Amino acid sequence: MSVHKTACAAGLAIALLFTSGSHAATEAADADADARAGKTLHLFLSTSETGLDPAVASDIASLNLMENVFDPLLRYDYLARPVKLQGNTARGLPKVEDGGRSYTFQLQPGIFFTPDPAFKGKPREVTAQDYVYSLTRLYDPNLKSPWLFLLEDKLVGDAALKARFSYDTPIAGLQALDKYTLRIRLNGVDPNFLFYLAMPATGVVAREVAEAYPAAGQFGNHPVGTGPFMIKEWKRSDKIVLQANPTFRKSLFHTEPAALATLPPADQAIATALEGRQLPLVQRIEVRIVEEYQSRMLGFLKGEFDYLEQVPESLTDMVLVHGKLKPELATKGITLDRFPVLQTYYMWMNMEDPVLGGYTRDKLALRRAIALSYNSREDIALLKKGLALPAQSPLPPNVLGYDKDYRSPVGYDPALARALLDRYGYKLGADGFRHQPDGTPLILSMHTEANMVGRLRDELWRRNLNAIGLRVEFKSDKKTEIIKASRLGKVQMFETNWVADFPDGDNFMQLLYGGNVGRANYARFNLPDYNKRYEEARLLSDTPRRRSLYFDMSQLIHAYTPWVLLTHPISADLQQPWLKNYRRHPVEFTSWRYLDVDMTRGRPAGK
């Protein structure tokens, strides 16, 4: 659908109101617009978006878009490695007091929401109270926010919001001290708290807009933010067009000389090219939803997309030979970069499912047998073409808490899997498949994505499970629909992945915390021993004590097997010769505001 065709004109009409009004400011704004004019990024997302409401959406496609439309208080330095936070709408990092339990932010004045009828024709400036409202939305029981775990039981006084929710209930943990000063107070120290304030989920929204579109999901269809881009066109599950926000605040890229000197040469070149430039650098972004792997690859090779992250494992032969970019592609100026993604692939099993859920020994044996049937070596060599590491624990390399020496006690062992099933009464029938201990048929149900890679993975699982006498049926659907059903406990098994929202092990260990059942804990795992350790660990930084707790938690995961741990991908990323300043970030989803297009470098006509 088209979103406010008049928004662009209205935004341009009031743009000068959002600046100092000086002739110099006007000239600068015109120069920025001239530099962006005619520049369009052509990108794709691999799954359909669900809706652009920061408090509600958690799918990758929606997060990619929201990151460019809405503004959290903080964001990541684009090029700093290890990753580093910096101010976004806040003037800088907060003042931290009370032993790490109190954060005071100073907002930049002059940040405005994009125009919307809810503002009745007036420019609407962002205030500290807007952040109070936006963070309070995560507690709204009507929204069922999957991000509530970021704040729940952490903000001082938030019990009042959970007991009887109201947007007008003040709490001591979330206060606007004045128009531009926000104070957040915590019950206890949370080493990762500032990371949360750089996530799309904590982006600022306007109460007037949310209340103007109160129906379920309606606000997510009507995004009004303060970010570098705004939605111009939106055809659901097909095409989204973003345009540069004409009222976007002054946002000049800068790297301190000392930091510049520590960057590798390629990043130094990017920093130098970006220095002093007003972001964003392009006028328009055209985003297509392309769920089929082959369509993405062919589209990139035809020049329809400016970059391709994570070459599909099944199609690596189209672009790589002996692990290197094919010469004919290199000759065209296409480049390849290998990127260790902060990501874990796993197959979860519903712990409340009557067939394989529960904590009794027979159910544990069934899940353990399923895990023992998984052939990691075959998966990595044949399906992932070597572009992955076997997952030993939920934590991928390079997140805080990762233990490079930890090894899973559960490996590929179909003989042991068969012995376990025999011992606990899952006997083979005349048809070669096993029955449940009570003699009834045993049929596993695995949801799967309806694409080529989904079908290849189905065959891997079918072969693995059939080899130990387990029959499995596959149910194909869109990933967004599977996730919705998963949160309701209506999916038995599904292979998925988790990409780090912030670079700490807590972001992965929380996926099996009992308090997150119905949210990101799709396995509905609720084990007191795990919960107790998680609750202690989440209050600790990356210390020896936390690493000891993580070891115990990993052992419990392997003992009860709510997950089959699969792989950590190594992404093979491709970019076109005309794309400038591209550098993939370990945590942020996109780099769109930093990207530029060299109009002289041979983009295909009409692209």
Side-chain angles (χ1 to χ4, degrees):
M1 68 177 181
S2 177
V3 180
H4 294 305
K5 294 180 179 178
T6 61
C8 179
L12 291 171
I14 65 173
L16 297 183
L17 296 176
F18 292 2
T19 68
S20 64
S22 70
H23 181 66
T26 302
E27 286 186 338
D30 289 344
D32 294 333
D34 289 343
R36 288 192 294 258
K39 292 182 177 180
T40 300
L41 295 175
H42 295 268
L43 313 173
F44 70 83
L45 294 174
S46 58
T47 59
S48 298
E49 74 293 354
T50 56
L52 305 186
D53 183 340
V56 175
S58 62
D59 60 284
I60 294 295
S62 297
L63 291 169
N64 274 257
L65 295 165
M66 291 191 302
E67 190 173 77
N68 292 279
V69 174
F70 296 97
D71 268 321
L73 288 160
L74 305 175
R75 65 177 297 103
Y76 289 89
D77 183 305
Y78 182 38
L79 299 174
R81 305 292 186 273
V83 297
K84 179 182 177 183
L85 289 171
Q86 61 185 18
N88 186 38
T89 56
R91 290 181 177 177
L93 297 179
K95 181 180 181 181
V96 182
E97 299 173 295
D98 192 20
R101 290 186 289 269
S102 177
Y103 299 84
T104 303
F105 295 86
Q106 296 295 326
L107 271 63
Q108 297 183 48
I111 297 174
F112 290 84
F113 290 100
T114 54
D116 188 84
F119 303 137
K120 304 185 187 307
K122 298 179 181 179
R124 173 62 162 79
E125 188 179 13
V126 174
T127 69
Q129 187 59 41
D130 290 315
Y131 276 101
V132 172
Y133 172 75
S134 301
L135 296 177
T136 301
R137 289 186 79 234
L138 303 188
Y139 289 86
D140 188 336
N142 293 320
L143 297 180
K144 296 181 174 61
S145 174
W147 303 107
L148 176 58
F149 75 93
L150 298 174
L151 304 181
E152 188 175 26
D153 299 326
K154 298 177 184 179
L155 299 185
V156 173
D158 75 346
L161 294 175
K162 295 192 294 179
R164 187 173 183 179
F165 180 81
S166 169
Y167 283 106
D168 298 314
T169 298
I171 64 169
L174 200 53
Q175 295 178 314
L177 301 184
D178 59 42
K179 186 175 182 180
Y180 300 118
T181 306
L182 174 72
R183 185 173 67 189
I184 300 176
R185 294 172 57 203
L186 305 182
N187 289 314
V189 175
D190 184 342
N192 294 312
F193 188 72
L194 290 183
F195 290 136
Y196 310 158
L197 302 181
M199 294 168 58
T202 58
V204 67
V205 303
R207 183 169 184 170
E208 303 97 306
V209 178
E211 292 181 347
Y213 309 96
Q218 192 175 11
F219 177 75
N221 297 331
H222 192 90
V224 176
T226 61
F229 294 97
M230 54 192 291
I231 303 295
K232 183 180 180 182
E233 299 176 17
W234 188 357
K235 297 179 181 178
R236 277 197 166 274
S237 302
D238 179 20
K239 178 181 178 181
I240 303 101
V241 176
L242 294 84
Q243 72 171 20
N245 177 1
T247 65
F248 190 55
R249 62 190 176 276
K250 185 177 181 179
S251 181
L252 302 181
F253 187 92
H254 176 62
T255 302
E256 293 292 337
L260 181 65
T262 66
L263 296 176
D267 288 357
Q268 286 186 10
I270 292 175
T272 301
L274 287 171
E275 183 63 31
R277 297 190 66 186
Q278 168 68 23
L279 306 176
L281 302 178
V282 300
Q283 180 61 33
R284 178 183 171 97
I285 303 177
E286 293 188 5
V287 183
R288 303 303 300 250
I289 306 300
V290 185
E291 296 186 341
E292 281 291 338
Y293 288 82
Q294 189 170 31
S295 298
R296 297 177 209 164
M297 180 66 80
L298 292 175
F300 175 83
L301 294 176
K302 290 189 295 185
E304 295 174 1
F305 305 122
D306 295 333
Y307 65 79
L308 186 152
E309 293 180 344
Q310 210 153 335
V311 170
E313 306 92 43
S314 59
L315 301 177
T316 54
D317 291 345
M318 294 179 67
V319 294
L320 302 180
V321 56
H322 304 305
K324 296 182 179 180
L325 190 66
K326 286 186 173 181
E328 58 267 33
L329 298 180
T331 300
K332 293 180 180 180
I334 293 172
T335 56
L336 166 71
D337 186 40
R338 285 179 173 81
F339 182 82
V341 188
L342 302 187
Q343 186 175 18
T344 299
Y345 276 82
Y346 58 99
M347 193 277 285
W348 57 262
M349 294 175 275
N350 185 346
M351 295 293 288
E352 297 177 359
D353 182 81
V355 174
L356 52 63
Y359 298 83
T360 57
R361 291 189 176 187
D362 58 328
K363 303 297 188 181
L364 193 158
L366 176 57
R367 293 193 303 273
R368 176 68 65 86
I370 291 170
L372 290 166
S373 79
Y374 167 66
N375 191 335
S376 174
R377 182 173 297 179
E378 180 183 14
D379 185 5
I380 292 173
L382 299 183
L383 296 190
K384 298 193 180 301
K385 305 297 183 181
L387 293 170
L389 301 171
Q392 306 294 337
S393 81
L395 306 189
N398 300 317
V399 301
L400 293 172
Y402 172 74
D403 182 355
K404 64 181 178 60
D405 296 321
Y406 181 86
R407 291 294 178 269
S408 167
V410 181
Y412 175 58
D413 194 337
L416 179 57
R418 288 189 285 267
L420 264 178
L421 293 171
D422 288 341
R423 178 176 179 180
Y424 285 93
Y426 296 94
K427 301 300 184 182
L428 285 171
D431 59 359
F433 291 106
R434 297 181 184 273
H435 292 77
Q436 297 194 60
D438 64 3
T440 59
L442 173 57
I443 303 176
L444 300 176
S445 173
M446 182 180 288
H447 275 66
T448 179
E449 294 183 70
N451 53 42
M452 181 173 67
V453 169
R455 291 188 287 273
L456 289 172
R457 301 208 62 77
D458 293 350
E459 283 308 307
L460 174 68
W461 277 112
R462 190 192 309 277
R463 190 162 59 250
N464 289 341
L465 294 171
N466 286 177
I468 61 172
L470 295 178
R471 178 187 283 116
V472 59
E473 295 179 347
F474 297 94
K475 297 181 179 180
S476 295
D477 205 343
K478 289 187 175 182
K479 186 172 183 177
T480 51
E481 295 304 313
I482 298 172
I483 294 301
K484 288 178 184 177
S486 299
R487 289 185 181 142
L488 298 174
K490 296 182 178 180
V491 174
Q492 185 184 90
M493 309 164 68
F494 180 53
E495 181 180 315
T496 188
N497 65 88
W498 188 266
V499 184
D501 299 302
F502 51 91
D504 189 89
D506 179 78
N507 192 223
F508 291 85
M509 291 304 195
Q510 60 90 17
L511 297 174
L512 287 162
Y513 175 54
N516 288 335
V517 168
R519 297 179 222 161
N521 184 351
Y522 304 130
R524 310 179 82 80
F525 184 58
N526 193 4
L527 184 72
D529 284 346
Y530 185 95
N531 296 342
K532 179 181 178 181
R533 287 167 172 80
Y534 174 76
E535 288 166 357
E536 180 183 350
R538 71 179 178 182
L539 301 178
L540 302 174
S541 58
D542 186 25
T543 59
R545 173 57 182 165
R546 194 180 75 158
R547 287 178 177 249
S548 175
L549 291 168
Y550 277 6
F551 178 89
D552 291 348
M553 293 158 70
S554 295
Q555 292 284 293
L556 289 170
I557 293 168
H558 289 120
Y560 288 89
T561 322
W563 285 8
V564 179
L565 284 156
L566 306 178
T567 58
H568 306 303
I570 299 171
S571 179
D573 300 343
L574 304 174
Q575 61 175 300
Q576 300 287 6
W578 55 80
L579 185 65
K580 300 170 65 177
N581 310 326
Y582 173 82
R583 178 66 70 237
R584 192 165 174 185
H585 194 273
V587 182
E588 288 191 321
F589 297 99
T590 68
S591 53
W592 298 350
R593 72 186 68 199
Y594 306 103
L595 300 184
D596 202 354
V597 176
D598 185 344
M599 306 292 281
T600 70
R601 288 297 301 273
R603 181 193 288 273
K607 299 292 189 281

